mmCIF file of all heavy atoms in Angstrom:
data_model
loop_
_atom_site.group_PDB
_atom_site.id
_atom_site.type_symbol
_atom_site.label_atom_id
_atom_site.label_comp_id
_atom_site.label_asym_id
_atom_site.label_seq_id
_atom_site.Cartn_x
_atom_site.Cartn_y
_atom_site.Cartn_z
ATOM 1 N N ALA A 1 -118.002 -133.180 -55.945
ATOM 2 C CA ALA A 1 -119.223 -132.510 -55.485
ATOM 3 C C ALA A 1 -119.423 -132.707 -53.982
ATOM 4 O O ALA A 1 -119.798 -131.778 -53.265
ATOM 5 C CB ALA A 1 -120.432 -133.029 -56.259
ATOM 6 N N GLN A 2 -119.156 -133.914 -53.485
ATOM 7 C CA GLN A 2 -119.259 -134.175 -52.045
ATOM 8 C C GLN A 2 -118.260 -133.322 -51.273
ATOM 9 O O GLN A 2 -118.596 -132.732 -50.239
ATOM 10 C CB GLN A 2 -119.002 -135.652 -51.744
ATOM 11 C CG GLN A 2 -120.104 -136.580 -52.160
ATOM 12 C CD GLN A 2 -119.709 -138.048 -51.976
ATOM 13 O OE1 GLN A 2 -118.553 -138.367 -51.721
ATOM 14 N NE2 GLN A 2 -120.681 -138.930 -52.124
ATOM 15 N N LEU A 3 -117.037 -133.256 -51.765
ATOM 16 C CA LEU A 3 -116.002 -132.463 -51.099
ATOM 17 C C LEU A 3 -116.387 -130.990 -51.062
ATOM 18 O O LEU A 3 -116.247 -130.328 -50.027
ATOM 19 C CB LEU A 3 -114.658 -132.638 -51.823
ATOM 20 C CG LEU A 3 -113.495 -131.808 -51.296
ATOM 21 C CD1 LEU A 3 -113.152 -132.200 -49.869
ATOM 22 C CD2 LEU A 3 -112.292 -131.955 -52.194
ATOM 23 N N ASN A 4 -116.907 -130.466 -52.159
ATOM 24 C CA ASN A 4 -117.264 -129.049 -52.213
ATOM 25 C C ASN A 4 -118.503 -128.713 -51.404
ATOM 26 O O ASN A 4 -118.702 -127.563 -51.041
ATOM 27 C CB ASN A 4 -117.436 -128.604 -53.664
ATOM 28 C CG ASN A 4 -116.118 -128.512 -54.384
ATOM 29 O OD1 ASN A 4 -115.082 -128.289 -53.781
ATOM 30 N ND2 ASN A 4 -116.152 -128.700 -55.689
ATOM 31 N N SER A 5 -119.342 -129.694 -51.113
ATOM 32 C CA SER A 5 -120.546 -129.413 -50.327
ATOM 33 C C SER A 5 -120.324 -129.584 -48.826
ATOM 34 O O SER A 5 -121.195 -129.228 -48.034
ATOM 35 C CB SER A 5 -121.695 -130.301 -50.791
ATOM 36 O OG SER A 5 -121.378 -131.655 -50.563
ATOM 37 N N LYS A 6 -119.161 -130.099 -48.429
ATOM 38 C CA LYS A 6 -118.857 -130.266 -47.006
ATOM 39 C C LYS A 6 -118.491 -128.927 -46.366
ATOM 40 O O LYS A 6 -117.883 -128.078 -46.994
ATOM 41 C CB LYS A 6 -117.654 -131.212 -46.821
ATOM 42 C CG LYS A 6 -117.952 -132.654 -47.031
ATOM 43 C CD LYS A 6 -116.707 -133.504 -46.876
ATOM 44 C CE LYS A 6 -115.969 -133.103 -45.626
ATOM 45 N NZ LYS A 6 -114.822 -133.933 -45.337
ATOM 46 N N THR A 7 -118.868 -128.770 -45.113
ATOM 47 C CA THR A 7 -118.417 -127.605 -44.351
ATOM 48 C C THR A 7 -117.185 -128.024 -43.551
ATOM 49 O O THR A 7 -117.043 -129.182 -43.164
ATOM 50 C CB THR A 7 -119.511 -127.091 -43.393
ATOM 51 O OG1 THR A 7 -119.894 -128.153 -42.526
ATOM 52 C CG2 THR A 7 -120.714 -126.591 -44.156
ATOM 53 N N SER A 8 -116.317 -127.079 -43.307
ATOM 54 C CA SER A 8 -115.098 -127.387 -42.555
ATOM 55 C C SER A 8 -115.199 -126.831 -41.141
ATOM 56 O O SER A 8 -116.156 -126.147 -40.794
ATOM 57 C CB SER A 8 -113.880 -126.799 -43.267
ATOM 58 O OG SER A 8 -113.965 -125.393 -43.273
ATOM 59 N N LYS A 9 -114.196 -127.110 -40.339
ATOM 60 C CA LYS A 9 -114.197 -126.622 -38.953
ATOM 61 C C LYS A 9 -114.062 -125.105 -38.899
ATOM 62 O O LYS A 9 -114.661 -124.450 -38.060
ATOM 63 C CB LYS A 9 -113.042 -127.259 -38.184
ATOM 64 C CG LYS A 9 -113.188 -128.734 -37.987
ATOM 65 C CD LYS A 9 -111.972 -129.299 -37.276
ATOM 66 C CE LYS A 9 -112.064 -130.816 -37.178
ATOM 67 N NZ LYS A 9 -110.852 -131.389 -36.573
ATOM 68 N N SER A 10 -113.269 -124.544 -39.801
ATOM 69 C CA SER A 10 -113.008 -123.106 -39.735
ATOM 70 C C SER A 10 -114.061 -122.257 -40.462
ATOM 71 O O SER A 10 -114.180 -121.071 -40.184
ATOM 72 C CB SER A 10 -111.618 -122.808 -40.304
ATOM 73 O OG SER A 10 -111.522 -123.312 -41.612
ATOM 74 N N TYR A 11 -114.816 -122.848 -41.409
ATOM 75 C CA TYR A 11 -115.859 -122.116 -42.124
ATOM 76 C C TYR A 11 -117.209 -122.772 -41.858
ATOM 77 O O TYR A 11 -117.319 -123.986 -41.881
ATOM 78 C CB TYR A 11 -115.606 -122.112 -43.633
ATOM 79 C CG TYR A 11 -114.394 -121.312 -44.045
ATOM 80 C CD1 TYR A 11 -113.241 -121.943 -44.461
ATOM 81 C CD2 TYR A 11 -114.414 -119.926 -44.026
ATOM 82 C CE1 TYR A 11 -112.126 -121.216 -44.846
ATOM 83 C CE2 TYR A 11 -113.319 -119.192 -44.405
ATOM 84 C CZ TYR A 11 -112.175 -119.842 -44.810
ATOM 85 O OH TYR A 11 -111.083 -119.126 -45.197
ATOM 86 N N THR A 12 -118.210 -121.948 -41.657
ATOM 87 C CA THR A 12 -119.553 -122.497 -41.433
ATOM 88 C C THR A 12 -120.268 -122.775 -42.749
ATOM 89 O O THR A 12 -121.306 -123.410 -42.751
ATOM 90 C CB THR A 12 -120.397 -121.521 -40.597
ATOM 91 O OG1 THR A 12 -120.450 -120.266 -41.273
ATOM 92 C CG2 THR A 12 -119.797 -121.341 -39.210
ATOM 93 N N LYS A 13 -119.702 -122.294 -43.853
ATOM 94 C CA LYS A 13 -120.301 -122.509 -45.166
ATOM 95 C C LYS A 13 -119.394 -123.411 -45.996
ATOM 96 O O LYS A 13 -118.175 -123.391 -45.844
ATOM 97 C CB LYS A 13 -120.502 -121.185 -45.894
ATOM 98 C CG LYS A 13 -121.499 -120.271 -45.209
ATOM 99 C CD LYS A 13 -121.672 -119.008 -45.977
ATOM 100 C CE LYS A 13 -122.669 -118.098 -45.267
ATOM 101 N NZ LYS A 13 -122.837 -116.845 -45.966
ATOM 102 N N SER A 14 -119.995 -124.157 -46.897
ATOM 103 C CA SER A 14 -119.221 -125.047 -47.766
ATOM 104 C C SER A 14 -118.539 -124.244 -48.878
ATOM 105 O O SER A 14 -118.866 -123.083 -49.112
ATOM 106 C CB SER A 14 -120.132 -126.104 -48.382
ATOM 107 O OG SER A 14 -121.013 -125.494 -49.308
ATOM 108 N N ARG A 15 -117.614 -124.881 -49.561
ATOM 109 C CA ARG A 15 -116.955 -124.239 -50.699
ATOM 110 C C ARG A 15 -117.978 -123.872 -51.776
ATOM 111 O O ARG A 15 -117.870 -122.827 -52.411
ATOM 112 C CB ARG A 15 -115.893 -125.168 -51.297
ATOM 113 C CG ARG A 15 -114.693 -125.346 -50.432
ATOM 114 C CD ARG A 15 -113.697 -126.308 -51.079
ATOM 115 N NE ARG A 15 -112.580 -126.551 -50.207
ATOM 116 C CZ ARG A 15 -112.564 -127.474 -49.260
ATOM 117 N NH1 ARG A 15 -113.599 -128.249 -49.084
ATOM 118 N NH2 ARG A 15 -111.517 -127.623 -48.481
ATOM 119 N N LEU A 16 -118.944 -124.742 -51.978
ATOM 120 C CA LEU A 16 -119.977 -124.480 -52.985
ATOM 121 C C LEU A 16 -120.800 -123.252 -52.611
ATOM 122 O O LEU A 16 -121.077 -122.393 -53.458
ATOM 123 C CB LEU A 16 -120.884 -125.698 -53.152
ATOM 124 C CG LEU A 16 -121.979 -125.574 -54.196
ATOM 125 C CD1 LEU A 16 -121.380 -125.337 -55.583
ATOM 126 C CD2 LEU A 16 -122.853 -126.811 -54.204
ATOM 127 N N GLN A 17 -121.186 -123.121 -51.353
ATOM 128 C CA GLN A 17 -121.953 -121.957 -50.908
ATOM 129 C C GLN A 17 -121.143 -120.669 -51.068
ATOM 130 O O GLN A 17 -121.661 -119.649 -51.522
ATOM 131 C CB GLN A 17 -122.374 -122.115 -49.449
ATOM 132 C CG GLN A 17 -123.446 -123.165 -49.236
ATOM 133 C CD GLN A 17 -123.665 -123.459 -47.761
ATOM 134 O OE1 GLN A 17 -122.717 -123.445 -46.965
ATOM 135 N NE2 GLN A 17 -124.913 -123.718 -47.406
ATOM 136 N N ARG A 18 -119.862 -120.719 -50.711
ATOM 137 C CA ARG A 18 -119.021 -119.533 -50.855
ATOM 138 C C ARG A 18 -118.817 -119.178 -52.323
ATOM 139 O O ARG A 18 -118.800 -118.008 -52.683
ATOM 140 C CB ARG A 18 -117.672 -119.746 -50.160
ATOM 141 C CG ARG A 18 -117.831 -119.721 -48.628
ATOM 142 C CD ARG A 18 -116.513 -119.810 -47.938
ATOM 143 N NE ARG A 18 -116.042 -121.194 -48.025
ATOM 144 C CZ ARG A 18 -114.776 -121.570 -47.932
ATOM 145 N NH1 ARG A 18 -113.839 -120.681 -47.762
ATOM 146 N NH2 ARG A 18 -114.456 -122.839 -48.014
ATOM 147 N N PHE A 19 -118.695 -120.193 -53.187
ATOM 148 C CA PHE A 19 -118.574 -119.939 -54.625
ATOM 149 C C PHE A 19 -119.831 -119.252 -55.146
ATOM 150 O O PHE A 19 -119.748 -118.278 -55.895
ATOM 151 C CB PHE A 19 -118.336 -121.256 -55.378
ATOM 152 C CG PHE A 19 -118.476 -121.132 -56.859
ATOM 153 C CD1 PHE A 19 -117.479 -120.548 -57.613
ATOM 154 C CD2 PHE A 19 -119.618 -121.593 -57.500
ATOM 155 C CE1 PHE A 19 -117.603 -120.427 -58.991
ATOM 156 C CE2 PHE A 19 -119.759 -121.479 -58.868
ATOM 157 C CZ PHE A 19 -118.743 -120.886 -59.613
ATOM 158 N N GLU A 20 -121.004 -119.755 -54.759
ATOM 159 C CA GLU A 20 -122.269 -119.178 -55.224
ATOM 160 C C GLU A 20 -122.407 -117.726 -54.763
ATOM 161 O O GLU A 20 -122.870 -116.869 -55.514
ATOM 162 C CB GLU A 20 -123.460 -120.003 -54.715
ATOM 163 C CG GLU A 20 -123.541 -121.396 -55.289
ATOM 164 C CD GLU A 20 -123.886 -121.446 -56.762
ATOM 165 O OE1 GLU A 20 -124.370 -120.445 -57.310
ATOM 166 O OE2 GLU A 20 -123.666 -122.505 -57.369
ATOM 167 N N GLU A 21 -121.997 -117.441 -53.530
ATOM 168 C CA GLU A 21 -122.151 -116.088 -52.986
ATOM 169 C C GLU A 21 -121.119 -115.101 -53.539
ATOM 170 O O GLU A 21 -121.457 -113.946 -53.806
ATOM 171 C CB GLU A 21 -122.031 -116.115 -51.461
ATOM 172 C CG GLU A 21 -123.192 -116.775 -50.766
ATOM 173 C CD GLU A 21 -122.992 -116.890 -49.267
ATOM 174 O OE1 GLU A 21 -121.977 -116.358 -48.751
ATOM 175 O OE2 GLU A 21 -123.841 -117.510 -48.610
ATOM 176 N N LEU A 22 -119.881 -115.545 -53.691
ATOM 177 C CA LEU A 22 -118.811 -114.608 -54.024
ATOM 178 C C LEU A 22 -118.406 -114.596 -55.498
ATOM 179 O O LEU A 22 -118.142 -113.540 -56.059
ATOM 180 C CB LEU A 22 -117.564 -114.930 -53.182
ATOM 181 C CG LEU A 22 -117.746 -114.885 -51.671
ATOM 182 C CD1 LEU A 22 -116.503 -115.371 -50.969
ATOM 183 C CD2 LEU A 22 -118.092 -113.472 -51.236
ATOM 184 N N ASP A 23 -118.323 -115.753 -56.124
ATOM 185 C CA ASP A 23 -117.686 -115.839 -57.428
ATOM 186 C C ASP A 23 -118.631 -115.992 -58.611
ATOM 187 O O ASP A 23 -118.312 -115.539 -59.709
ATOM 188 C CB ASP A 23 -116.697 -117.015 -57.460
ATOM 189 C CG ASP A 23 -115.572 -116.836 -56.459
ATOM 190 O OD1 ASP A 23 -115.210 -115.686 -56.190
ATOM 191 O OD2 ASP A 23 -115.072 -117.851 -55.952
ATOM 192 N N ARG A 24 -119.757 -116.641 -58.429
ATOM 193 C CA ARG A 24 -120.614 -116.971 -59.576
ATOM 194 C C ARG A 24 -121.004 -115.731 -60.378
ATOM 195 O O ARG A 24 -120.959 -115.752 -61.599
ATOM 196 C CB ARG A 24 -121.865 -117.712 -59.108
ATOM 197 C CG ARG A 24 -122.883 -117.824 -60.214
ATOM 198 C CD ARG A 24 -123.401 -119.083 -60.703
ATOM 199 N NE ARG A 24 -123.215 -120.316 -60.065
ATOM 200 C CZ ARG A 24 -122.810 -121.391 -60.738
ATOM 201 N NH1 ARG A 24 -122.521 -121.299 -62.015
ATOM 202 N NH2 ARG A 24 -122.707 -122.534 -60.137
ATOM 203 N N GLN A 25 -121.389 -114.638 -59.711
ATOM 204 C CA GLN A 25 -121.852 -113.458 -60.444
ATOM 205 C C GLN A 25 -120.726 -112.774 -61.211
ATOM 206 O O GLN A 25 -120.989 -112.029 -62.153
ATOM 207 C CB GLN A 25 -122.552 -112.452 -59.515
ATOM 208 C CG GLN A 25 -121.678 -111.865 -58.441
ATOM 209 C CD GLN A 25 -121.748 -112.618 -57.139
ATOM 210 O OE1 GLN A 25 -122.227 -113.738 -57.078
ATOM 211 N NE2 GLN A 25 -121.254 -112.006 -56.081
ATOM 212 N N ALA A 26 -119.463 -113.045 -60.881
ATOM 213 C CA ALA A 26 -118.341 -112.421 -61.582
ATOM 214 C C ALA A 26 -117.884 -113.230 -62.797
ATOM 215 O O ALA A 26 -117.085 -112.731 -63.590
ATOM 216 C CB ALA A 26 -117.165 -112.243 -60.623
ATOM 217 N N LEU A 27 -118.388 -114.444 -62.976
ATOM 218 C CA LEU A 27 -117.954 -115.284 -64.086
ATOM 219 C C LEU A 27 -118.490 -114.778 -65.416
ATOM 220 O O LEU A 27 -119.607 -114.280 -65.502
ATOM 221 C CB LEU A 27 -118.416 -116.726 -63.872
ATOM 222 C CG LEU A 27 -117.746 -117.483 -62.737
ATOM 223 C CD1 LEU A 27 -118.358 -118.875 -62.618
ATOM 224 C CD2 LEU A 27 -116.256 -117.597 -62.969
ATOM 225 N N LEU A 28 -117.674 -114.926 -66.445
ATOM 226 C CA LEU A 28 -118.065 -114.569 -67.804
ATOM 227 C C LEU A 28 -118.208 -115.847 -68.617
ATOM 228 O O LEU A 28 -117.578 -116.856 -68.305
ATOM 229 C CB LEU A 28 -116.985 -113.689 -68.446
ATOM 230 C CG LEU A 28 -116.682 -112.367 -67.764
ATOM 231 C CD1 LEU A 28 -115.477 -111.701 -68.416
ATOM 232 C CD2 LEU A 28 -117.892 -111.458 -67.825
ATOM 233 N N PRO A 29 -119.015 -115.832 -69.678
ATOM 234 C CA PRO A 29 -119.096 -117.030 -70.515
ATOM 235 C C PRO A 29 -117.774 -117.259 -71.250
ATOM 236 O O PRO A 29 -117.028 -116.313 -71.519
ATOM 237 C CB PRO A 29 -120.226 -116.716 -71.492
ATOM 238 C CG PRO A 29 -120.368 -115.238 -71.457
ATOM 239 C CD PRO A 29 -119.901 -114.776 -70.120
ATOM 240 N N LEU A 30 -117.490 -118.513 -71.562
ATOM 241 C CA LEU A 30 -116.275 -118.840 -72.299
ATOM 242 C C LEU A 30 -116.385 -118.337 -73.735
ATOM 243 O O LEU A 30 -117.479 -118.260 -74.285
ATOM 244 C CB LEU A 30 -116.052 -120.349 -72.312
ATOM 245 C CG LEU A 30 -115.662 -120.979 -70.978
ATOM 246 C CD1 LEU A 30 -115.622 -122.495 -71.113
ATOM 247 C CD2 LEU A 30 -114.317 -120.453 -70.513
ATOM 248 N N PRO A 31 -115.252 -118.003 -74.358
ATOM 249 C CA PRO A 31 -115.292 -117.593 -75.772
ATOM 250 C C PRO A 31 -115.806 -118.729 -76.656
ATOM 251 O O PRO A 31 -115.690 -119.906 -76.301
ATOM 252 C CB PRO A 31 -113.829 -117.284 -76.104
ATOM 253 C CG PRO A 31 -113.115 -117.197 -74.813
ATOM 254 C CD PRO A 31 -113.912 -117.938 -73.805
ATOM 255 N N ALA A 32 -116.335 -118.381 -77.806
ATOM 256 C CA ALA A 32 -116.892 -119.385 -78.715
ATOM 257 C C ALA A 32 -115.818 -120.322 -79.252
ATOM 258 O O ALA A 32 -116.052 -121.516 -79.413
ATOM 259 C CB ALA A 32 -117.611 -118.694 -79.868
ATOM 260 N N GLU A 33 -114.631 -119.790 -79.519
ATOM 261 C CA GLU A 33 -113.567 -120.637 -80.040
ATOM 262 C C GLU A 33 -112.552 -120.960 -78.940
ATOM 263 O O GLU A 33 -112.339 -120.169 -78.028
ATOM 264 C CB GLU A 33 -112.856 -119.986 -81.230
ATOM 265 C CG GLU A 33 -112.110 -118.703 -80.924
ATOM 266 C CD GLU A 33 -113.000 -117.466 -80.856
ATOM 267 O OE1 GLU A 33 -114.153 -117.515 -81.289
ATOM 268 O OE2 GLU A 33 -112.520 -116.450 -80.332
ATOM 269 N N ARG A 34 -111.950 -122.143 -79.053
ATOM 270 C CA ARG A 34 -110.962 -122.580 -78.076
ATOM 271 C C ARG A 34 -109.638 -121.863 -78.315
ATOM 272 O O ARG A 34 -109.337 -121.437 -79.422
ATOM 273 C CB ARG A 34 -110.739 -124.090 -78.188
ATOM 274 C CG ARG A 34 -111.971 -124.894 -77.834
ATOM 275 C CD ARG A 34 -111.721 -126.348 -78.006
ATOM 276 N NE ARG A 34 -110.847 -126.788 -76.918
ATOM 277 C CZ ARG A 34 -110.575 -128.045 -76.643
ATOM 278 N NH1 ARG A 34 -111.085 -128.994 -77.373
ATOM 279 N NH2 ARG A 34 -109.801 -128.356 -75.645
ATOM 280 N N HIS A 35 -108.844 -121.795 -77.280
ATOM 281 C CA HIS A 35 -107.514 -121.199 -77.390
ATOM 282 C C HIS A 35 -106.583 -122.153 -78.114
ATOM 283 O O HIS A 35 -106.578 -123.350 -77.844
ATOM 284 C CB HIS A 35 -106.965 -120.906 -75.986
ATOM 285 C CG HIS A 35 -105.543 -120.470 -75.987
ATOM 286 N ND1 HIS A 35 -105.136 -119.265 -76.486
ATOM 287 C CD2 HIS A 35 -104.426 -121.090 -75.574
ATOM 288 C CE1 HIS A 35 -103.829 -119.156 -76.368
ATOM 289 N NE2 HIS A 35 -103.378 -120.258 -75.808
ATOM 290 N N GLU A 36 -105.825 -121.635 -79.062
ATOM 291 C CA GLU A 36 -104.840 -122.446 -79.770
ATOM 292 C C GLU A 36 -103.467 -122.164 -79.181
ATOM 293 O O GLU A 36 -103.051 -121.013 -79.089
ATOM 294 C CB GLU A 36 -104.839 -122.127 -81.264
ATOM 295 C CG GLU A 36 -106.095 -122.585 -81.961
ATOM 296 C CD GLU A 36 -106.016 -122.400 -83.467
ATOM 297 O OE1 GLU A 36 -104.894 -122.371 -84.003
ATOM 298 O OE2 GLU A 36 -107.077 -122.276 -84.079
ATOM 299 N N LEU A 37 -102.794 -123.217 -78.805
ATOM 300 C CA LEU A 37 -101.485 -123.088 -78.183
ATOM 301 C C LEU A 37 -100.469 -122.567 -79.192
ATOM 302 O O LEU A 37 -100.402 -123.038 -80.324
ATOM 303 C CB LEU A 37 -101.031 -124.446 -77.646
ATOM 304 C CG LEU A 37 -99.732 -124.461 -76.857
ATOM 305 C CD1 LEU A 37 -99.862 -123.593 -75.609
ATOM 306 C CD2 LEU A 37 -99.383 -125.874 -76.469
ATOM 307 N N SER A 38 -99.696 -121.587 -78.794
ATOM 308 C CA SER A 38 -98.656 -121.010 -79.643
ATOM 309 C C SER A 38 -97.302 -121.546 -79.225
ATOM 310 O O SER A 38 -97.089 -121.898 -78.073
ATOM 311 C CB SER A 38 -98.635 -119.489 -79.496
ATOM 312 O OG SER A 38 -99.878 -118.946 -79.831
ATOM 313 N N HIS A 39 -96.415 -121.603 -80.167
ATOM 314 C CA HIS A 39 -95.044 -122.022 -79.883
ATOM 315 C C HIS A 39 -94.134 -120.841 -80.186
ATOM 316 O O HIS A 39 -94.098 -120.363 -81.320
ATOM 317 C CB HIS A 39 -94.659 -123.231 -80.747
ATOM 318 C CG HIS A 39 -93.267 -123.688 -80.518
ATOM 319 N ND1 HIS A 39 -92.885 -124.370 -79.381
ATOM 320 C CD2 HIS A 39 -92.147 -123.553 -81.261
ATOM 321 C CE1 HIS A 39 -91.605 -124.639 -79.450
ATOM 322 N NE2 HIS A 39 -91.132 -124.150 -80.585
ATOM 323 N N TRP A 40 -93.428 -120.345 -79.169
ATOM 324 C CA TRP A 40 -92.593 -119.166 -79.328
ATOM 325 C C TRP A 40 -91.122 -119.574 -79.342
ATOM 326 O O TRP A 40 -90.684 -120.363 -78.514
ATOM 327 C CB TRP A 40 -92.836 -118.194 -78.178
ATOM 328 C CG TRP A 40 -94.218 -117.657 -78.173
ATOM 329 C CD1 TRP A 40 -95.315 -118.203 -77.564
ATOM 330 C CD2 TRP A 40 -94.688 -116.497 -78.833
ATOM 331 N NE1 TRP A 40 -96.424 -117.443 -77.803
ATOM 332 C CE2 TRP A 40 -96.057 -116.385 -78.584
ATOM 333 C CE3 TRP A 40 -94.078 -115.530 -79.614
ATOM 334 C CZ2 TRP A 40 -96.833 -115.354 -79.071
ATOM 335 C CZ3 TRP A 40 -94.847 -114.497 -80.102
ATOM 336 C CH2 TRP A 40 -96.203 -114.412 -79.838
ATOM 337 N N GLN A 41 -90.372 -119.020 -80.290
ATOM 338 C CA GLN A 41 -88.936 -119.221 -80.332
ATOM 339 C C GLN A 41 -88.277 -117.848 -80.300
ATOM 340 O O GLN A 41 -88.701 -116.930 -81.012
ATOM 341 C CB GLN A 41 -88.515 -119.941 -81.614
ATOM 342 C CG GLN A 41 -88.820 -121.415 -81.595
ATOM 343 C CD GLN A 41 -88.278 -122.073 -82.850
ATOM 344 O OE1 GLN A 41 -88.893 -121.971 -83.890
ATOM 345 N NE2 GLN A 41 -87.146 -122.723 -82.728
ATOM 346 N N TYR A 42 -87.262 -117.727 -79.496
ATOM 347 C CA TYR A 42 -86.569 -116.454 -79.345
ATOM 348 C C TYR A 42 -85.147 -116.567 -79.877
ATOM 349 O O TYR A 42 -84.568 -117.652 -79.916
ATOM 350 C CB TYR A 42 -86.555 -116.032 -77.874
ATOM 351 C CG TYR A 42 -87.937 -115.844 -77.311
ATOM 352 C CD1 TYR A 42 -88.554 -116.842 -76.580
ATOM 353 C CD2 TYR A 42 -88.637 -114.673 -77.548
ATOM 354 C CE1 TYR A 42 -89.836 -116.677 -76.082
ATOM 355 C CE2 TYR A 42 -89.920 -114.492 -77.054
ATOM 356 C CZ TYR A 42 -90.510 -115.498 -76.316
ATOM 357 O OH TYR A 42 -91.772 -115.327 -75.833
ATOM 358 N N ASN A 43 -84.586 -115.438 -80.255
ATOM 359 C CA ASN A 43 -83.204 -115.350 -80.731
ATOM 360 C C ASN A 43 -82.943 -116.274 -81.917
ATOM 361 O O ASN A 43 -81.928 -116.963 -81.973
ATOM 362 C CB ASN A 43 -82.222 -115.651 -79.595
ATOM 363 C CG ASN A 43 -82.389 -114.693 -78.440
ATOM 364 O OD1 ASN A 43 -82.668 -113.514 -78.646
ATOM 365 N ND2 ASN A 43 -82.236 -115.189 -77.232
#
């Protein structure tokens, strides 16, 4: 959390601020069930 709230020399906004502005509104909720890993065998 500290790392994400820091501003860098090249950006005036922190990673957290950029995430809130650009990415948060595009996120979808996770599916209700977890993904089950499949094992594939070929030939």
Side-chain angles (χ1 to χ4, degrees):
Q2 288 173 349
L3 176 64
N4 288 333
S5 63
K6 285 178 47 175
T7 57
S8 65
K9 293 177 185 176
S10 56
Y11 292 107
T12 57
K13 295 181 180 179
S14 69
R15 289 179 184 86
L16 182 61
Q17 289 170 325
R18 288 185 285 157
F19 168 76
E20 294 291 343
E21 290 175 5
L22 301 174
D23 298 329
R24 169 122 12 228
Q25 63 267 15
L27 291 178
L28 300 173
L30 290 174
E33 64 280 346
R34 295 178 73 170
H35 172 69
E36 291 186 25
L37 185 62
S38 302
H39 179 74
W40 295 88
Q41 284 184 281
Y42 299 98
N43 301 324

